[in-house]
C-alpha cells in the first residue's frame, strides 16, 4: 500500500508565542492555575482522566503535539515524519522520528532514543495496565539505531502512524526513573508517578494528590527564555463555579479549566472584569456509558463488572434503546451549555469527515420507549410505577462526578426514566476520585461499579482511530490490568473489531471517514452501549493579565504553557 493522502500534509508550519514576550526565564513571577477536578497522579499512562493528562503535560512532553487547529507540530522531535520527507515508509509500515539534539531531562541528563523505546515497552508490558494502550496498537518492534533516532515498526500498514508519542496522552518517560516501575510494579512507584522527571517547561517541587501541585521552571528547558513564570501552582478540587469565580471575579487565579456551568451563570461572572472566558468546539461528548457487565456487590470481589457476568438488565438492546429514547437532549443542552453545546447522537462529532449523520436520537419519544420496554417483557404488574420482569425490578444505579450541570442532568434523566417505568438511584462521586487511577478505589469510572455512568472525554488530534480502538474486545478495565483500560462499558463486537482492522489498513481519507462513521454508528445506534447526549464546547477562562493562552481542544489545554506570560498593565 502506497496511499499517502493522510501523511503528505501532516507537517505544518507553526509559530509559537513571539520571543519578544519572553525576556528572561522566570521573569514574570508566579502563575496560578485551578482545575476543579484535582489531579491524582502525574503520568497519563496510569490514568485516563483528563485532569491527570493535562496536569502531567506541564512536565512530560511527547515527540509532537496538535495545535489549536489540529495541525501536527514537533516538540521533542526535529520534525513531523511524513511520506514526503521520508520519515514514514512508502509501505506505511514504519515511522522514523529524529529527536532534537541537546535535549535534557530536568535533572540534567540527556534525552535519548532509549527513553522513547522504553516508554512504548512500559505501556505495552503485558503484566501491567496502561490507560493509553490503544495509542500503541499494531507496533511490532522499535529500533534505536542511534541516540537520536527512533524507528517504530508496525505489523501492518498504518495510514495514521501518529498514535504513539503524539499529543498529551502519549508523552515520553525517563527510562532511568521508571525502569523498575514496569508491569505490575507500575502503580507502586509513588515517587516516580507523583514527581516524574520531564522535559517540559516546569518540574514538580511537591505533589499532593487530589489537592495541589507546586512547580518551578525547568532549569534545563530547551528554550533559555522560557517559561516566563518562575513558579506555578496547580490547585485542584472544589467545583466549576468556584473555579470560575476565582478567575473572573476575584482574580485569585490566572487560569481555570473546564467551566462546566450554565451559560447565564458564566455570563454573570464575566461581568466581574477580572478575566475572560474562552471556548472552542472539538470532540468532547457528554454521554452515558451502559455497563454491559454485572456490577452487583453480591458477586465476589474481582468478578464485579467483569465480562464473566453479563448485565442482567442492560444486556438487552431494547432496554438500552428505551433509556435513550426517553431523553430530551435539546433540553439538556439548553439548560447545561447554551451556545457552548450541541445535542448529538455521535461519539465522534468532529471533524466533519468522521461525523455520522445519525440524528435519530434527537427526538424524545416517551411513548415509544414505553412500548419498547413492553416488547422486552418489562411490565408494571403491581401498579407501583416500576416495571419488573421475572421477579426483578427495572432498577438502575446511575453515577457521575460531582458537578452542578451533571447533577441537573441526572435529575432530569431520572425523571424521564421514571415516566417510562424505570427506578433510578443517583450517585455522584468527587471528580478527583471518579477520574482517578487508584485501582483500590471502588468509585472510579474505570471500575464502573454502577449500571450507568455519565462523563465526557475526547481524543488528541483530528483522527479518531485510536479513540475508536478503545472499544476493542479485551481492552476493558479488569483486575488483571489493575483496572486500567479504555473500553469502559465492556463492549465486545466482532464486526466492530473487524472494521477497526480495516480502518488501520485504509489510507484514502474518504474511505477512512466511511469506516469511522460505521464504527460510531455500531456503538451509538446499532448497539447503543454508549448514549451520547451533548457535543460540548470546551469553556475555560484566563485572567486579563495572562497572555499567550491559546485554547486547544485537540491536545492538552496546557499544551503551550511555556509560552504564557504576564501582561504588563
Amino acid at each position: 500500500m502506497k496511499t499517502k493522502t493522510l501523511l503528505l500534509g501532516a507537517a505544518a508550519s507553526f509559530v509559537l508565542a513571539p520571543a519578544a514576550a519572553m525576556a528572561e526565564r522566570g521573569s514574570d513571577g508566579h502563575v496560578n492555575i485551578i482545575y476543579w477536578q484535582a489531579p491524582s497522579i502525574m503520568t497519563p499512562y496510569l490514568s485516563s482522566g483528563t485532569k491527570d493528562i493535562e496536569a502531567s503535560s506541564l512536565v512530560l512532553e511527547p515527540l509532537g503535539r496538535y495545535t489549536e487547529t489540529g495541525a501536527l507540530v514537533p516538540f521533542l522531535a526535529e520534525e513531523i515524519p511524513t511520506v514526503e520527507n521520508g520519515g514514514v515508509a512508502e509501505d506505511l509500515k514504519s515511522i522514523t522520528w529524529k529527536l532534537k539534539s541537546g535535549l535534557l531531562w530536568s535533572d540534567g541528563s540527556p534525552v535519548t532514543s532509549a527513553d522513547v523505546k522504553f516508554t512504548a515497552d512500559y505501556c505495552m508490558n503485558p503484566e501491567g495496565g496502561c490507560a493509553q494502550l490503544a495509542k500503541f496498537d499494531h507496533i511490532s518492534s522499535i529500533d534505536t539505531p542511534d541516540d537520536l533516532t527512533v524507528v517504530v515498526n508496525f505489523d501492518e500498514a498504518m495510514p495514521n502512524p501518529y498514535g504513539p508519542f503524539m499529543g498529551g496522552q502519549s508523552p515520553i518517560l525517563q527510562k532511568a526513573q521508571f525502569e523498575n516501575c514496569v508491569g505490575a510494579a507500575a502503580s507502586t512507584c509513588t515517587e516516580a508517578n507523583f514527581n516524574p522527571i520531564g522535559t517540559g517547561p516546569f518540574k514538580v517541587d511537591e505533589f499532593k494528590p487530589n489537592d495541589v501541585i507546586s512547580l518551578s521552571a525547568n532549569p534545563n528547558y530547551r528554550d533559555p527564555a522560557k517559561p516566563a513564570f518562575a513558579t506555578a501552582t496547580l490547585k485542584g478540587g472544589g467545583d466549576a463555579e468556584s473555579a470560575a469565580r476565582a478567575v473572573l471575579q476575584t482574580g485569585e487565579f490566572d487560569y481555570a479549566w473546564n467551566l462546566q456551568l450554565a451559560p447565564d451563570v458564566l455570563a454573570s461572572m464575566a461581568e466581574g472584569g477580572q478575566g475572560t472566558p474562552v471556548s472552542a468546539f472539538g470532540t468532547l461528548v457528554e454521554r452515558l456509558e451502559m455497563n454491559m457487565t454485572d456490577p452487583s456487590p453480591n458477586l465476589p470481589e474481582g468478578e464485579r463488572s467483569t465480562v464473566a457476568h453479563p448485565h442482567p438488565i442492560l444486556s438487552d438492546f431494547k432496554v438500552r434503546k428505551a433509556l435513550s429514547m426517553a431523553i430530551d437532549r435539546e433540553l439538556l443542552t439548553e439548560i447545561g451549555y447554551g451556545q457552548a453545546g450541541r445535542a448529538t447522537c455521535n461519539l465522534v462529532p468532529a471533524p466533519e469527515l468522521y461525523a455520522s449523520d445519525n440524528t435519530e436520537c434527537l427526538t424524545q419519544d416517551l411513548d415509544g420507549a414505553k412500548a419498547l420496554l413492553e416488547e422486552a417483557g418489562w411490565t408494571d404488574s403491581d401498579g407501583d410505577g416500576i416495571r419488573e420482569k421475572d421477579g426483578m425490578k427495572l432498577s438502575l444505579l446511575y453515577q457521575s462526578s460531582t458537578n452542578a450541570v451533571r447533577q441537573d442532568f441526572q435529575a432530569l434523566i431520572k425523571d424521564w426514566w421514571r415516566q417510562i417505568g424505570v427506578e433510578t438511584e443517583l450517585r455522584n462521586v468527587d471528580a478527583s476520585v471518579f477520574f482517578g487511577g487508584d485501582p483500590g478505589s471502588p468509585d472510579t469510572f474505570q471500575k464502573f461499579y454502577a449500571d450507568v455512568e455519565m462523563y465526557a472525554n475526547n481524543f488528541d488530534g483530528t483522527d479518531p482511530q485510536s479513540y475508536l480502538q478503545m472499544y476493542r474486545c479485551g481492552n476493558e478495565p479488569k483486575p488483571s490490568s489493575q483496572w486500567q483500560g479504555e473500553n469502559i462499558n465492556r463492549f465486545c463486537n466482532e464486526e466492530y473489531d473487524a472494521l477497526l482492522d480495516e480502518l488501520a489498513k485504509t489510507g484514502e481519507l474518504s474511505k477512512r471517514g466511511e469506516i469511522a462513521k460505521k464504527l460510531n454508528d455500531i456503538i451509538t445506534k446499532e448497539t447503543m452501549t454508549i448514549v451520547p447526549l451533548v457535543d460540548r464546547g470546551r469553556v475555560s477562562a484566563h485572567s486579563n493579565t495572562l497572555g499567550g493562552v491559546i485554547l486547544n481542544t485537540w491536545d492538552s489545554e496546557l499544551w503551550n504553557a511555556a509560552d504564557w506570560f504576564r501582561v504588563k498593565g
Side-chain angles (χ1 to χ4, degrees):
M1 181 185 295
K2 295 186 178 180
T3 305
K4 306 176 185 178
T5 312
L6 180 65
L7 305 171
L8 293 178
S13 59
F14 182 66
V15 179
L16 296 174
M22 311 284 184
E24 182 182 348
R25 175 180 294 155
S27 60
D28 285 348
H30 188 76
V31 63
N32 282 309
I33 303 166
I34 185 165
Y35 271 47
W36 56 270
Q37 294 179 10
S40 58
I41 200 166
M42 285 292 281
T43 167
Y45 294 115
L46 297 183
S47 173
S48 53
T50 303
K51 41 89 175 183
D52 297 323
I53 293 168
E54 301 212 349
S56 66
S57 73
L58 292 168
V59 176
L60 299 173
E61 295 181 305
L63 298 182
R65 285 198 182 280
Y66 299 92
T67 73
E68 77 281 6
T69 65
L72 284 66
V73 292
F75 261 58
L76 299 183
E78 283 282 3
E79 63 181 355
I80 298 295
T82 65
V83 171
E84 189 176 49
N85 63 28
V88 175
E90 288 281 339
D91 64 2
L92 309 183
K93 294 184 72 172
S94 69
I95 180 171
T96 300
W97 293 91
K98 294 283 188 178
L99 286 168
K100 293 176 178 176
S101 62
L103 290 174
L104 298 176
W105 294 102
S106 59
D107 66 0
S109 61
V111 179
T112 73
S113 57
D115 296 302
V116 182
K117 181 181 186 303
F118 168 79
T119 300
D121 292 340
Y122 172 94
C123 188
M124 296 189 297
N125 188 296
E127 297 180 3
C130 178
Q132 310 299 334
L133 186 59
K135 292 282 189 181
F136 297 85
D137 203 34
H138 291 293
I139 291 179
S140 59
S141 64
I142 296 181
D143 301 322
T144 54
D146 58 56
D147 283 350
L148 299 180
T149 306
V150 180
V151 183
V152 181
N153 302 299
F154 301 102
D155 58 18
E156 59 185 45
M158 292 289 283
N160 178 37
Y162 305 113
F165 317 127
M166 272 296 303
Q169 296 175 2
S170 189
I172 309 306
L173 301 179
Q174 188 193 56
K175 179 181 179 181
Q177 185 181 31
F178 282 87
E179 61 185 343
N180 294 322
C181 302
V182 297
S187 63
T188 68
C189 292
T190 303
E191 174 60 27
N193 293 332
F194 286 0
N195 300 281
I197 295 166
T199 58
F202 294 96
K203 64 182 184 71
V204 178
D205 293 329
E206 185 179 19
F207 180 84
K208 296 180 180 179
N210 302 319
D211 185 10
V212 65
I213 311 170
S214 300
L215 307 106
S216 58
N218 176 0
N220 293 301
Y221 188 64
R222 56 190 172 276
D223 188 328
K226 299 177 183 178
F229 293 103
T231 54
T233 297
L234 195 158
K235 182 72 176 74
D239 53 46
E241 184 171 355
S242 59
R245 185 176 294 110
V247 171
L248 299 173
Q249 291 184 326
T250 70
E252 180 184 359
F253 283 84
D254 295 296
Y255 190 87
W257 162 84
N258 189 21
L259 301 182
Q260 197 173 351
L261 295 168
D264 57 331
V265 173
L266 196 61
S268 175
M269 286 188 183
E271 294 175 0
Q274 295 293 315
T276 303
V278 288
S279 63
F281 277 97
T283 59
L284 187 67
V285 172
E286 192 78 19
R287 78 300 196 103
L288 301 179
E289 296 268 353
M290 300 287 175
N291 196 340
M292 300 301 290
T293 60
D294 190 351
S296 171
N298 296 325
L299 291 170
E301 187 60 32
E303 295 186 28
R304 295 178 66 185
S305 290
T306 68
V307 295
H309 300 280
H311 198 286
I313 296 173
L314 295 177
S315 294
D316 188 337
F317 168 75
K318 290 181 178 179
V319 175
R320 301 195 299 272
K321 184 171 183 179
L323 294 173
S324 175
M325 292 170 67
I327 297 171
D328 185 342
R329 290 162 174 80
E330 297 289 356
L331 181 58
L332 292 179
T333 303
E334 179 184 341
I335 67 163
Y337 300 100
Q339 294 300 308
R342 300 182 288 212
T344 187
C345 303
N346 292 324
L347 177 66
V348 179
E352 183 178 356
L353 171 67
Y354 301 108
S356 171
D357 61 1
N358 176 23
T359 59
E360 180 182 304
C361 79
L362 298 183
T363 301
Q364 184 187 41
D365 185 359
L366 292 170
D367 289 337
K370 293 175 186 177
L372 205 55
L373 290 176
E374 291 282 343
E375 284 181 33
W378 292 93
T379 60
D380 181 15
S381 57
D382 58 9
D384 66 352
I386 306 302
R387 296 176 184 271
E388 64 240 356
K389 179 182 179 181
D390 300 330
M392 176 183 291
K393 286 287 189 180
L394 186 46
S395 180
L396 301 173
L397 173 58
Y398 168 20
Q399 70 178 13
S400 188
S401 62
T402 304
N403 170 277
V405 172
R406 286 194 170 131
Q407 269 66 80
D408 286 346
F409 277 27
Q410 283 185 304
L412 282 169
I413 292 172
K414 176 179 179 177
D415 182 63
W416 290 322
W417 287 353
R418 181 195 59 78
Q419 292 179 50
I420 65 171
V422 179
E423 180 180 56
T424 309
E425 177 187 350
L426 300 181
R427 174 200 289 164
N428 63 84
V429 181
D430 181 270
S432 301
V433 175
F434 188 67
F435 294 112
D438 181 1
S441 172
D443 296 320
T444 65
F445 81 108
Q446 297 104 319
K447 193 162 279 189
F448 203 170
Y449 282 177
D451 303 300
V452 179
E453 65 184 7
M454 179 174 64
Y455 63 92
N457 68 7
N458 63 326
F459 56 91
D460 281 350
T462 56
D463 189 286
Q465 181 175 324
S466 292
Y467 192 61
L468 291 167
Q469 282 172 344
M470 296 193 305
Y471 296 95
R472 187 184 286 278
C473 296
N475 195 29
E476 73 279 355
K478 46 190 173 288
S480 61
S481 66
Q482 288 78 55
W483 293 103
Q484 295 296 338
E486 300 154 303
N487 187 348
I488 299 301
N489 55 30
R490 288 66 164 154
F491 169 78
C492 185
N493 181 287
E494 290 183 3
E495 179 189 4
Y496 187 89
D497 284 5
L499 282 169
L500 285 177
D501 294 338
E502 185 179 347
L503 181 63
K505 299 173 184 176
T506 303
E508 187 177 333
L509 281 177
S510 62
K511 291 183 178 179
R512 288 181 65 79
E514 291 173 8
I515 297 169
K517 290 174 185 177
K518 177 62 175 174
L519 288 164
N520 173 89
D521 288 353
I522 288 176
I523 291 179
T524 62
K525 185 177 181 180
E526 295 176 18
T527 68
M528 288 193 172
T529 52
I530 295 176
V531 176
L533 302 173
V534 181
D535 173 13
R536 286 173 44 193
R538 186 79 64 85
V539 180
S540 295
H542 63 84
S543 69
N544 292 333
T545 65
L546 182 62
V549 173
I550 301 175
L551 185 62
N552 188 341
T553 63
W554 306 108
D555 207 311
S556 166
E557 280 197 25
L558 305 178
W559 72 293
N560 76 327
D563 303 308
W564 291 2
F565 59 92
R566 185 66 66 196
V567 176
K568 304 300 191 290

